[in-house]
Amino acid sequence: MEKIRKIVHIDMDAFFASVEERDFPELKGRPVAVGRSAERGVVATANYEARKYGVHSAMSSKVALQRCPHLIFQPPRFDVYKAVSRQVHEIFAQFTDLIEPLSIDEAYLDVTDNKKGIRSATIVAEEIKRMIRETTLLTASAGVSYNKFLAKIASDYDKPDGLFVIEPKDAVAFIAQLPVGKFYGIGPVTEQYLGKMGIRTGADLQRFSLAEMSNIFGKNGQFFYDIVRGVDNREVVVDRKRKSYSAESTFEKDLNGSFAVVTELYRLEQRVWNEVTQAGKYAKTVTLKLRFADFTTITRSYSSEDYICGFAEFHAIAKSLLTKIDYSGSGVRLLGVGVSNLTDVESECGRQLSLKFK
Ligand code: TTP
Ligand code: MG
């Protein structure tokens, strides 16, 4: 029989905002967003106080201020967040080498055979949380289960400062009561679409056959069929080198006209650029993706000779790619932008900027 794995998922709580509160104690108890309050600013994250007002990641700063007029904006300090992320990673490495980082503040750990010989994954998770608190003065939430899907859902279930365990025997019942929006890969648009068919919980999904799941989820039918039954055999993949960074949005109402499209594109560019900057990467290639109301999808790429180092250059490239696509006759259903061809090395970027964008 296959050995039951012990997977822990760790996710720092309101990460950037918690670091700001830690370093600026006068912020304690007040609603805080990390980001810029400028006209086109976007909230990177908000503390739990601000979330009570409906402020959340990726929201425009303007809307955030409408929802919470006394919101305090803190400019991001990526170097500090990266340093904390490294400290947390060093703690993980004391337990296992099977670490799969998902983002700056999240990782999966396979602790089945851990370095400290601790039998209980719950005790491993408690230890990690305690060490994170002592070393960084910050809290993390932990999820413990026998696969990645359930461990990630578990860490989200009891946030902040949570520890939630899903035992194999409880998995199917646990999944049954989950709202579909909590499933990996089901965003607000899909959630709404499923809701129209009366599919609201895991139990609703558990009733479908594999063929029916494939009708709903296309090529992901098998994946969803398995996970609603608590089956997820994906391994914890160590040091998966990211080859690209991208962000895309499907719109509830198709976008019409260049103003709307350029505005949304700018938002997506900011998300991508934040991620790339946080990861300390430089990119050469920019790719733009548009899907029209009739589902036709177009992608366009441009590769720069030098690594792109400024947001302005990235924005100029993305915008010039957009001008090559004629979307005047059709609504835009999905918009995406990404960068690839990455390096860690800071280069002499932008040398030829003035030549390229004259
Ligand atoms: P998350 O773990 O998604 O969020 P969080 O840690 O702020 O809050 P939670 O307690 O719910 O885990 O993201 C980690 C950090 O990544 C977050 O602090 C800021 C950054 N981030 C962005 O810059 N833009 C985004 O759209 C998101 C989702 C996160
Ligand atoms: Mg987090």
Side-chain angles (χ1 to χ4, degrees), residues 96-153:
T96 179
D97 291 327
L98 296 176
I99 304 165
E100 178 178 340
L102 287 181
S103 71
I104 190 165
D105 84 324
E106 247 182 275
Y108 290 115
L109 281 65
D110 187 328
V111 301
T112 316
D113 300 305
N114 59 78
K115 295 181 187 177
K116 303 207 179 205
I118 302 171
R119 298 261 306 268
S120 154
T122 308
I123 292 178
V124 171
E126 277 170 357
E127 275 289 288
I128 290 176
K129 274 168 55 84
R130 184 183 60 75
M131 289 168 75
I132 291 177
R133 197 181 316 114
E134 282 173 7
T135 313
T136 69
L137 306 177
L138 299 168
T139 61
S141 293
V144 178
S145 197
Y146 60 95
N147 65 37
K148 294 211 285 193
F149 166 66
L150 289 168
K152 184 159 162 72
I153 285 182

Side-chain angles (χ1 to χ4, degrees), residues 279-320:
K281 302 281 180 193
Y282 301 87
K284 274 189 178 176
T285 303
V286 178
T287 302
L288 183 72
K289 175 170 157 188
L290 259 85
R291 178 169 298 147
F292 298 111
D294 65 358
F295 279 83
T296 338
T297 306
I298 292 184
T299 60
R300 290 281 179 277
S301 287
Y302 172 83
S303 290
S304 170
E305 278 166 39
D306 297 317
Y307 288 99
I308 303 160
C309 70
F311 179 78
E313 186 183 1
F314 171 48
H315 174 60
I317 295 173
K319 242 178 94 179
S320 78

Side-chain angles (χ1 to χ4, degrees), residues 150-200:
L150 289 168
K152 184 159 162 72
I153 285 182
S155 76
D156 190 46
Y157 206 68
D158 193 23
K159 250 182 183 301
D161 200 13
L163 172 61
F164 194 75
V165 183
I166 303 173
E167 304 272 0
K169 64 174 172 41
D170 303 325
V172 172
F174 179 84
I175 294 164
Q177 55 82 45
L178 271 186
V180 290
K182 292 275 177 195
F183 283 75
Y184 174 83
I186 300 187
V189 175
T190 313
E191 186 181 3
Q192 220 185 18
Y193 163 79
L194 293 173
K196 283 188 189 139
M197 298 193 287
I199 304 168
R200 293 194 174 81

Side-chain angles (χ1 to χ4, degrees), residues 86 145 265 333:
R86 272 195 295 272
S145 197
L265 178 60
R333 181 184 158 78

Side-chain angles (χ1 to χ4, degrees), residues 71-86:
L71 184 64
I72 300 169
F73 279 90
Q74 285 288 113
R77 296 179 301 147
F78 294 118
D79 289 349
V80 182
Y81 312 144
K82 261 200 279 185
V84 175
S85 182
R86 272 195 295 272

